[in-house]
Amino acid sequence: MEKLLQVTPEKCTGCRNCELACSYAHMVDGLLGASRIHVYTIKPMERGIPVVCMQCYHAACMKACPAWAIRRNRETGALEVDYGRCIGCKACVAACPFGNMTIEPLLDSVIKCDLCGGSPKCVEFCPTGALTYEVVDYSNTTRLEEHV
């Protein structure tokens, strides 16, 4: 069963707990890591919009990597960076059309959402349910890749 991290913007209060939980989950040498999720505040509504890697089916970041260092985890569905293969060119950062590949300043390496190994911390700490990680039923929809 395929699970997806889903965002319901109407439920987001902009508290940024998801960012903090992500930073804690990705600590580097005891220091808060860079968050892989970002909450943008939309004015004048003062509503938060969480933005996270979409784990694209035809991922531009994966296609742009000359070292084949980005692969899909079959268990979680997350696109993950294999740092043993990554050459640090940052082509994946430039290729992501959504800006969801970023740089971890403490390590000077690329980072993206890895779904915390199948248990996203951002979901656990979202007090309003704006973030969910659930099984997706595609039986009543047409997937994009069917048309590509």
Side-chain angles (χ1 to χ4, degrees):
M1 298 247 110
E2 185 175 359
K3 292 178 92 173
L4 287 178
L5 179 62
Q6 298 182 50
V7 177
T8 307
E10 306 83 55
K11 293 183 177 181
C12 181
T13 63
C15 71
R16 302 182 105 107
N17 281 356
C18 55
E19 289 180 353
L20 189 58
C22 183
S23 293
Y24 273 111
H26 295 91
M27 289 182 98
V28 177
D29 296 329
L31 301 172
L32 287 180
S35 180
R36 279 93 167 130
I37 186 169
H38 303 283
V39 178
Y40 297 97
T41 304
I42 305 300
K43 295 188 181 204
M45 299 178 301
E46 298 298 327
R47 179 172 299 269
I49 305 291
V51 178
V52 69
C53 177
M54 297 171 63
Q55 310 297 345
C56 302
Y57 187 79
H58 295 289
C61 62
M62 187 167 60
K63 289 179 181 180
C65 181
W68 294 84
I70 300 175
R71 298 289 171 106
R72 188 167 310 276
N73 180 314
R74 292 181 192 264
E75 290 182 30
T76 66
L79 290 167
E80 297 176 343
V81 178
D82 178 346
Y83 294 102
R85 295 186 69 123
C86 180
I87 59 174
C89 69
K90 300 177 179 71
C92 55
V93 175
C96 178
F98 306 105
N100 291 325
M101 288 286 307
T102 56
I103 306 296
E104 169 57 76
L106 297 172
L107 300 173
D108 192 33
S109 62
V110 298
I111 57 170
K112 61 173 297 310
C113 175
D114 58 6
L115 296 173
C116 295
S119 181
K121 302 304 176 225
C122 57
V123 173
E124 279 183 51
F125 288 91
C126 179
T128 63
L131 299 170
T132 57
Y133 185 59
E134 334 176 292
V135 172
V136 178
D137 178 12
Y138 290 111
S139 62
N140 295 326
T141 62
T142 303
R143 294 186 67 171
L144 177 62
E145 65 269 13
E146 294 173 4
H147 297 286
V148 178

